[in-house]
């Protein structure tokens, strides 16, 4: 698959004609080289993408789970009431979360600063179903989420307390008080991630002082619903456009896509 990132047109030529020719030319050059081209054009470019031969295949949705409610209720209540209501909501959320984790069986969590070999072992031992997705291994993570001067990715590793075997991981970046999940993998990621793993993610985020956890995800309904069932709420979304090339075998079946922030160049 190829990812459409940016198109640049000089100010004097910013009309439909040059932009359309540019995109059509690129898509033509991809024929025979890729099975699929995808991208997330902004609102102004979507009509152009359709005219160039791409189609909207769905949306990547930002899902958010609130961990500390104080700053949210301040938008609706006076300061004194907001402070009291926020504390009550935080206490209720903490108690219910603790009880749920006790019933589920606690997970052990550890933060590391780079991908570890266990990530490869988990990827090789699990199946992705009929989804089309990028490899969730150390090679890709080291390339896509390499540290920069302004960006640092940490990896939350989750293990069953009894066995110690890796049960899942989340690649995260902290943005102010939000923990953003850039990528992740669990044994049933494309069919739905267990509530125990997502609760452990939320607990780990709360433990380092985050007020919320977020992820951008485009996945089959079962996978999306597992996050929503774990207390994540859908916020804004962005359209995903794609072009399948008829000469490729995969274009016949058109498998569902599984995309996260790590599948988009920023």
């Amino acid at each position: 698959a190829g990812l459409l990132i940016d198109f640049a047109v000089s100010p004097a030529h910013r009309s439909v004609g040059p932009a359309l020719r540019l995109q059509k030319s690129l898509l033509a050059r991809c024929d025979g080289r890729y099975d699929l081209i995808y991208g997330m054009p902004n609102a102004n470019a979507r009509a152009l993408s359709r005219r160039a031969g791409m189609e909207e295949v769905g949306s990547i949705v930002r899902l958010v789970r609130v961990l500390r409610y104080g700053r949210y209720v301040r938008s609706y209540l006076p300061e004194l009431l907001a402070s009291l209501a926020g504390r009550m909501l935080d206490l209720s959320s903490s108690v219910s979360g603790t009880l749920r984790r006790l019933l589920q069986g606690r997970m052990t969590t550890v933060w590391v600063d780079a991908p570890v070999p266990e990530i490869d072992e988990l990827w090789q031992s699990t199946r992705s179903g009929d989804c089309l997705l990028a490899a969730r291994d150390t090679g890709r993570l080291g390339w896509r989420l390499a540290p920069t001067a302004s960006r640092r990715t940490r990896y939350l590793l989750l293990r069953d307390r009894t066995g110690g075997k890796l049960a899942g991981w989340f690649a995260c970046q902290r943005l102010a008080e939000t923990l953003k999940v850039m990528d992740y993998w669990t044994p049933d990621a494309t069919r739905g991630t267990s509530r125990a793993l997502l609760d452990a993610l939320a607990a780990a985020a709360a433990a380092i002082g985050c007020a919320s956890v977020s992820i951008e995800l485009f996945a089959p309904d079962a996978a999306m619903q597992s996050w929503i069932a774990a207390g994540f709420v859908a916020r804004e979304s962005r359209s995903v456009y794609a072009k399948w090339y008829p000469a490729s075998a995969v274009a016949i079946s058109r498998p569902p896509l599984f995309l996260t922030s790590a599948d988009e160049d920023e």
Side-chain angles (χ1 to χ4, degrees):
L3 169 62
L4 296 182
I5 304 171
D6 291 314
F7 291 96
V9 180
S10 64
H13 299 281
R14 286 180 185 165
S15 60
V16 173
L20 185 60
R21 288 179 62 189
L22 179 64
Q23 189 165 151
K24 280 187 172 181
S25 175
L26 185 142
L27 292 174
R29 287 173 178 267
C30 292
D31 194 1
R33 179 177 296 182
Y34 298 107
D35 297 320
L36 167 71
I37 294 293
Y38 73 94
M40 301 164 198
N42 61 37
N44 294 330
R46 289 170 193 160
L48 185 73
S49 295
R50 287 193 294 270
R51 290 185 63 178
M54 301 186 76
E55 60 180 299
E56 186 174 356
V57 295
S59 298
I60 186 166
V61 181
R62 189 170 73 96
L63 302 169
V64 180
R65 176 167 163 175
V66 176
L67 305 175
R68 289 192 281 121
Y69 289 86
R71 67 173 182 173
Y72 292 95
V73 295
R74 286 191 185 93
S75 302
Y76 306 98
L77 296 173
E79 181 65 28
L80 184 60
L81 287 176
S83 177
L84 179 60
R87 290 178 184 178
M88 292 177 64
L89 288 169
D90 289 346
L91 178 60
S92 174
S93 177
S94 177
V95 170
S96 62
T98 300
L99 291 174
R100 190 165 50 247
R101 289 193 298 275
L102 288 173
L103 292 172
Q104 293 167 343
R106 292 181 64 84
M107 308 288 297
T108 62
T109 58
V110 60
W111 289 99
V112 296
D113 293 324
V116 297
E118 289 172 281
I119 287 176
D120 289 335
E121 295 171 8
L122 178 64
W123 171 247
Q124 293 163 7
S125 66
T126 57
R127 296 177 179 270
S128 60
D130 61 351
C131 276
L132 185 64
L133 72 165
R136 259 58 186 183
D137 59 16
T138 56
R140 173 174 171 273
L141 292 171
W143 162 59
R144 287 298 297 128
L145 300 177
T148 67
S150 60
R151 181 186 69 190
R152 179 190 179 199
T153 302
R154 300 191 73 201
Y155 297 83
L156 180 67
L157 308 180
L158 296 91
R159 298 185 179 89
D160 189 304
R161 183 178 290 276
T162 57
K165 186 177 180 181
L166 188 65
W169 56 264
F170 298 91
C172 305
Q173 294 177 7
R174 184 161 183 175
L175 306 174
E177 291 187 315
T178 298
L179 188 72
K180 182 178 181 180
V181 177
M182 302 298 295
D183 205 1
Y184 77 102
W185 190 248
T186 64
D188 296 311
T190 61
R191 295 176 293 277
T193 297
S194 75
R195 179 70 185 261
L197 293 176
L198 297 179
D199 282 344
L201 165 67
I208 60 173
C210 291
S212 62
V213 183
S214 74
I215 183 173
E216 284 195 302
L217 185 61
F218 176 35
D221 287 344
M224 299 292 291
Q225 288 302 318
S226 68
W227 286 80
I228 292 172
F232 285 78
V233 177
R235 298 287 174 83
E236 67 273 13
S237 63
R238 293 179 293 139
S239 297
V240 177
Y241 279 70
K243 179 176 176 61
W244 298 89
Y245 289 94
S248 67
V250 73
I252 298 173
S253 60
R254 295 196 177 193
L257 303 180
F258 184 94
L259 304 174
T260 64
S261 295
D263 294 302
E264 178 187 11
D265 207 353
E266 296 181 335

